[in-house]
Amino acid sequence: MSIACCLPVVECVYCLACARWACQHCFHTGGYDSETWGLAAQNEFEPVPRLCRLILAVYEDDLEHPQWAPPGGYGIEPRWVVHRRTYEHTHGHAPTYLLYVDHQHSDVVLAVRGMNMAKESDYAVLLDNSLGQRRFDGGYVHNGLLKAAEWLFDAECDVLRDLLERNPGYTLTFAGHSLGSGVVAMLALVAVHNRDRLGGVERKRIRCFAMAPARCMSLNLAVRYADVINAVILQDDFLPRTDTPLEDVFKSLVCLPCLLCGRCLIDTCIPESVMLRDPRRLYAPGRLYHIVERKPFRCGRYPPVVRTAVPVDGRFEHIVLSCNMISDHAIIWIEREAQRGLDLMLENERTMKPPDTQRMDNEITIERDHDQEQKAALRRAIALGVADVNVPSTYGTFSENLTPEADEASPILLDSGRRRTVWDEWIARIFEKDESGKMIPRT
């Protein structure tokens, strides 16, 4: 076409598309992703800095004589460490992890370190995936991360069950960073589905904190498990926004311009609403906490603000081109800014000085608000058609050989009455009423 018209038409159109894509990403700041979210409360965000320090402790060979302790130390008792497993123990099936019983906070914690760039086994876990390769509980997950989580659960479930039986009432917490965040997110799914192997622990006692999480599960799973999994993201962190599969990123390093050009064309030509209906597309897991501590077109760091939500659309879909997109991924910076944010929350709380009864009422209100927010996210997911894994997509990631019955069952094609029925069925599957009539997640 360019030769026939004696003009580089295709090249000009492509250059304009690339310029538009670059402008959108250059002027897009991390704070825009969560500007409509609510503020996080102090009691729900309190574990984050503490767990970040515990993840940092996994990197230490000798906790009695730490070499890289943050200011104030790790805040842990070495005698409460059950054991630490390195790559020699895991044989490359999972990253190095630490099992710790926090008697001060009544918590059994399994912390997993981030990706070790010098270990081929970590690359093998990351690259062991293809789009739609592994299904789990009606959704799709990252195959390599799920295999690592399953191996880790089989290796530690007996120890975890024994610790929970010896410490009744303790919560079971999985915490990880980067690659480890994807492993613990998958581990939370496996633990919820195998609670009988953990002594019948209640679902509400299982929780997960994924720091700088990888995109590891489909949207319906991310929303449905928002009561268990919490993802913490610092401002412009690149990893939760990398919607191109990581295995494709690493495989395409030999031709990175080709990858960027392809990403530009996809972002320009395919609407986000169409991408959302692809049930095999992976997202950051669970409830999201976004730490915002920089403002656009201003230098320096500001007092951090922590926002939280269970979003469906607008779930960190755009890479932020900034000089901090790599440093914001570091666990050291996440711990530092999370602690600053928590200190500000505590200072505001001391200023208000609520009585104990009011503080308990606030905790109940926050829990109720989170339940309502999760239900609203599920309703939004069903309205968009992403809660049904059989919904066909023109995004290009589905087999077109779908039966008419499956197409007719799509929530997108249902009338309002039928859609309400589907929503009620989903609520009945995920929630139940306790003796007082309150809606609680099924155990």
Side-chain angles (χ1 to χ4, degrees), residues 48 65 83 161 177 202 229 237 244 301 325 347 395 412:
V48 173
H65 304 90
H83 56 237
R161 182 180 64 248
H177 169 251
E202 300 91 342
I229 303 174
D237 187 1
T244 301
R301 295 176 182 267
M325 59 185 296
E347 183 179 349
Y395 177 42
I412 300 175

Side-chain angles (χ1 to χ4, degrees), residues 25 28-34 37 212-215 233-246 249 263 267 281-284 288-292 294 314-322 324-326 328-329:
H25 287 72
H28 180 84
T29 64
Y32 293 159
D33 292 319
S34 59
W37 298 4
R215 298 169 75 102
I233 300 164
L234 177 59
Q235 188 91 13
D236 298 337
D237 187 1
F238 75 95
L239 189 59
R241 296 179 168 87
T242 308
D243 52 353
T244 301
L246 294 178
V249 173
R263 183 72 263 164
D267 287 349
R281 197 164 184 255
L282 303 183
Y283 294 84
L288 302 182
Y289 290 88
H290 192 204
I291 305 174
V292 180
R294 287 186 302 274
R315 197 179 179 91
F316 292 98
E317 294 303 306
H318 301 287
I319 287 282
V320 177
L321 299 180
S322 76
N324 301 105
M325 59 185 296
I326 304 296
D328 283 351
H329 184 68

Side-chain angles (χ1 to χ4, degrees), residues 64-86:
E64 297 284 354
H65 304 90
Q67 299 180 3
W68 304 289
Y74 293 114
I76 65 175
E77 286 285 346
R79 57 191 174 92
W80 292 347
V81 175
V82 179
H83 56 237
R84 177 177 178 269
R85 295 290 183 257
T86 63

Side-chain angles (χ1 to χ4, degrees), residues 6 26 94 118 162 215 217 224 245 251 322 424:
C6 299
C26 286
D162 181 62
R215 298 169 75 102
M217 63 180 63
R224 286 166 49 200
K251 292 175 183 177
S322 76
D424 292 339

Side-chain angles (χ1 to χ4, degrees), residues 66 89 91 102 119 134 163 178 197 200 222 240 267 312 357 382 397:
H89 299 95
H91 303 289
D102 188 348
K119 290 292 183 180
R134 189 70 178 269
L163 291 173
S178 191
R197 297 179 60 183
D267 287 349
V312 176
T357 54
I382 292 176
T397 58

Side-chain angles (χ1 to χ4, degrees), residues 115-287:
M115 184 173 181
N116 188 337
M117 304 296 286
K119 290 292 183 180
E120 294 182 2
S121 58
D122 282 1
Y123 290 97
V125 171
L126 184 65
L127 300 179
D128 183 14
N129 188 57
S130 60
L131 192 62
Q133 179 178 354
R134 189 70 178 269
R135 295 193 61 175
F136 187 92
D137 191 24
Y140 291 89
V141 295
H142 189 287
N143 181 61
L145 295 176
L146 181 61
K147 288 168 62 176
E150 290 173 338
W151 182 93
L152 188 53
F153 184 80
D154 291 337
E156 298 295 338
C157 67
D158 294 336
V159 180
L160 292 174
R161 182 180 64 248
D162 181 62
L163 291 173
L164 291 172
E165 290 175 351
R166 284 191 292 163
N167 301 280
Y170 279 33
T171 54
L172 175 60
T173 301
F174 304 112
H177 169 251
S178 191
L179 179 68
S181 69
V183 174
V184 296
M186 297 294 101
L187 188 57
L189 300 185
V190 175
V192 169
H193 279 264
N194 295 273
R195 289 182 289 111
D196 55 328
R197 297 179 60 183
L198 296 172
V201 60
E202 300 91 342
R203 175 178 174 134
K204 64 182 180 181
R205 289 172 55 195
I206 301 175
R207 59 181 184 172
C208 169
F209 286 87
M211 317 298 176
R215 298 169 75 102
C216 57
M217 63 180 63
S218 58
L219 187 55
N220 61 342
L221 291 179
V223 173
R224 286 166 49 200
Y225 286 88
D227 60 316
V228 177
I229 303 174
N230 305 278
V232 181
I233 300 164
L234 177 59
Q235 188 91 13
D236 298 337
D237 187 1
F238 75 95
L239 189 59
R241 296 179 168 87
T242 308
D243 52 353
T244 301
L246 294 178
E247 60 273 11
D248 292 344
V249 173
F250 279 91
K251 292 175 183 177
S252 302
L253 287 179
V254 294
C255 189
L256 188 58
C258 298
L259 176 67
L260 294 176
C261 292
R263 183 72 263 164
C264 169
L265 290 175
I266 291 175
D267 287 349
T268 302
C269 302
I270 301 178
E272 182 179 338
S273 59
V274 176
M275 296 183 185
L276 279 173
R277 294 192 178 97
D278 181 355
R280 297 186 293 180
R281 197 164 184 255
L282 303 183
Y283 294 84
R287 169 174 288 275

Side-chain angles (χ1 to χ4, degrees), residues 15 57 97 121 209 278 308 340 420:
C15 289
Y97 63 91
S121 58
F209 286 87
D278 181 355
T308 182
R340 288 182 61 203
R420 178 65 184 177

